Amino acid sequence: MGAGIPMALKQRREQAESVAVSVINRLTWRAGPGDGVLAERICSRICAASRRPGG
């Protein structure tokens, strides 16, 4: 999952963004070891994609 979400955001951001947000919510709720780091990384990918021209 960790590698799949960024790849999906890069290739099909509109379709993958709602799934990525759902994963972030789940990771935040679960709060297991490393979940916060992974949630932050996914979130930064969403933010970076929205700042790109055409993104």
Side-chain angles (χ1 to χ4, degrees):
M1 175 186 60
I5 297 290
M7 182 175 61
L9 286 169
K10 183 177 180 181
Q11 294 178 358
R12 297 180 181 251
R13 186 179 73 84
E14 286 186 31
Q15 294 87 351
E17 194 169 293
S18 62
V19 174
V21 171
S22 179
V23 169
I24 291 167
N25 287 336
R26 173 63 86 167
L27 291 168
T28 302
W29 176 79
R30 189 172 74 169
D35 287 351
V37 173
L38 182 54
E40 287 178 23
R41 287 181 182 171
I42 295 170
C43 189
S44 70
R45 294 278 182 149
I46 293 171
C47 292
S50 67
R51 287 189 292 247
R52 283 190 210 123

